[in-house]
Structure formats: structure tokens, C-alpha cells
Amino acid sequence: MKYVYPNGNIDAIEGDDKIDVFDKEEEQIPAAAVVYFEENDTSLSADGKHSLNNLIDLIGERPCSLVIEGHTRKAFIPSKGYNNSWKLSLDRAEEVANYLHDKGGISFKRLITIGYGNNNPLAKDIRGDQHNDRVSIIINILR
């Protein structure tokens, strides 16, 4: 999907249904929620569900979208279930998106999932690598 600002220099092509006119200002709230996972796992913990429930209460029906970014450890070790960090990170993001949709009634149209694998670590030091098994959620506020 491509967004075109009405006064921008990019014109929509007639009949192009992949371009939406976007005329609202947008702000981001980075890392509005962070959910941690066990190594090579996509299951939400009780703490993770609690964080997501708080996020659901916070955003409600407010005009916003959520960018859900999945991450894995820098020192990713393949397992029987996941032979690469990209798939694991994307599955984590999708698990969070499904929870927000099922539990919070948030439309999938408002949810964007991204898997970064082990390429965007929060903790650079291997001793803190377990903190990289996470999903970060960014709120895009539409004004």
C-alpha cells in the first residue's frame, strides 16, 4: 500500500486501487509496549498478555495503527521448530497481532507485522542477549 499526500508531488494514477490518499498528520510512540519471549518460542507469557491488555485499554478505538516488530537473539541458534531467525521473529510479531485482534478486537487493517530476525538487537552484549527475544510495538497516531 502506498500513501499519497494530497498536496504532495506524487499523483495517483487513475484506476490505481493500491494508492490511498492520506491527509492526516502522523506521530509515533516508539516501544509503546515490549513483550519478551523464551528462546526459540512464540508463546505469549502471562506478563506479555498483561502488557498487551494494557495496550488494548490504552488505544481502544483511537485512530492509530500499530507496527509490531519481532526480534530474536543476536546469537540465534536454530532449533527443530525454527531454522532461521527471520521466521521466528515474524511468527512472534504475528502471535502478538493475533492476540490484539482476538482479545482486543483490533482490526488487522490497523496492524503491521515485521520480522527483523537478529538484525536489530536491543542488547548489543551477548550477556544481555535474552532481552533481544522480544516484540516491540510502535503506535502511529493519526491526527
Side-chain angles (χ1 to χ4, degrees), residues 50-68:
H50 180 72
S51 294
L52 294 176
N53 290 337
N54 288 340
L55 180 64
I56 290 167
D57 292 340
L58 173 71
I59 64 167
E61 294 298 319
R62 289 183 176 89
C64 65
S65 63
L66 302 175
V67 179
I68 305 166

Side-chain angles (χ1 to χ4, degrees), residues 47-94:
D47 286 341
K49 290 177 181 178
H50 180 72
S51 294
L52 294 176
N53 290 337
N54 288 340
L55 180 64
I56 290 167
D57 292 340
L58 173 71
I59 64 167
E61 294 298 319
R62 289 183 176 89
C64 65
S65 63
L66 302 175
V67 179
I68 305 166
E69 302 176 333
H71 304 273
T72 64
R73 295 174 185 232
K74 276 181 68 170
F76 175 78
I77 300 172
S79 67
K80 189 174 186 177
Y82 291 97
N83 62 357
N84 69 65
S85 62
W86 295 100
K87 176 70 172 143
L88 175 59
S89 65
L90 184 57
D91 282 357
R92 286 176 173 169
E94 289 176 350

Side-chain angles (χ1 to χ4, degrees), residues 6-62:
N7 297 328
N9 57 3
I10 302 173
D11 295 326
I13 299 169
E14 187 174 329
D16 189 349
D17 60 356
K18 302 222 187 274
I19 297 179
D20 289 344
V21 174
F22 187 75
D23 61 357
K24 297 186 179 194
E25 184 179 333
E26 189 172 22
E27 290 184 17
Q28 284 191 341
I29 301 173
V34 178
V35 177
Y36 292 98
F37 291 85
E38 295 294 321
E39 186 174 13
N40 287 330
D41 193 11
T42 60
S43 302
L44 289 169
S45 66
D47 286 341
K49 290 177 181 178
H50 180 72
S51 294
L52 294 176
N53 290 337
N54 288 340
L55 180 64
I56 290 167
D57 292 340
L58 173 71
I59 64 167
E61 294 298 319
R62 289 183 176 89

Side-chain angles (χ1 to χ4, degrees), residues 74-119:
K74 276 181 68 170
F76 175 78
I77 300 172
S79 67
K80 189 174 186 177
Y82 291 97
N83 62 357
N84 69 65
S85 62
W86 295 100
K87 176 70 172 143
L88 175 59
S89 65
L90 184 57
D91 282 357
R92 286 176 173 169
E94 289 176 350
E95 181 71 19
V96 168
N98 288 332
Y99 185 87
L100 293 171
H101 174 76
D102 296 343
K103 178 77 173 170
I106 298 172
S107 170
F108 283 118
K109 291 179 181 180
R110 296 173 60 193
L111 305 173
I112 302 163
T113 55
I114 302 170
Y116 283 106
N118 58 359
N119 290 306

Side-chain angles (χ1 to χ4, degrees), residues 124-140:
K124 307 284 187 208
D125 188 350
I126 198 71
R127 291 175 292 191
D129 207 17
Q130 74 274 9
H131 297 293
N132 292 323
D133 284 323
R134 74 190 192 286
V135 165
S136 300
I137 302 171
I138 299 168
I139 300 175
N140 288 323

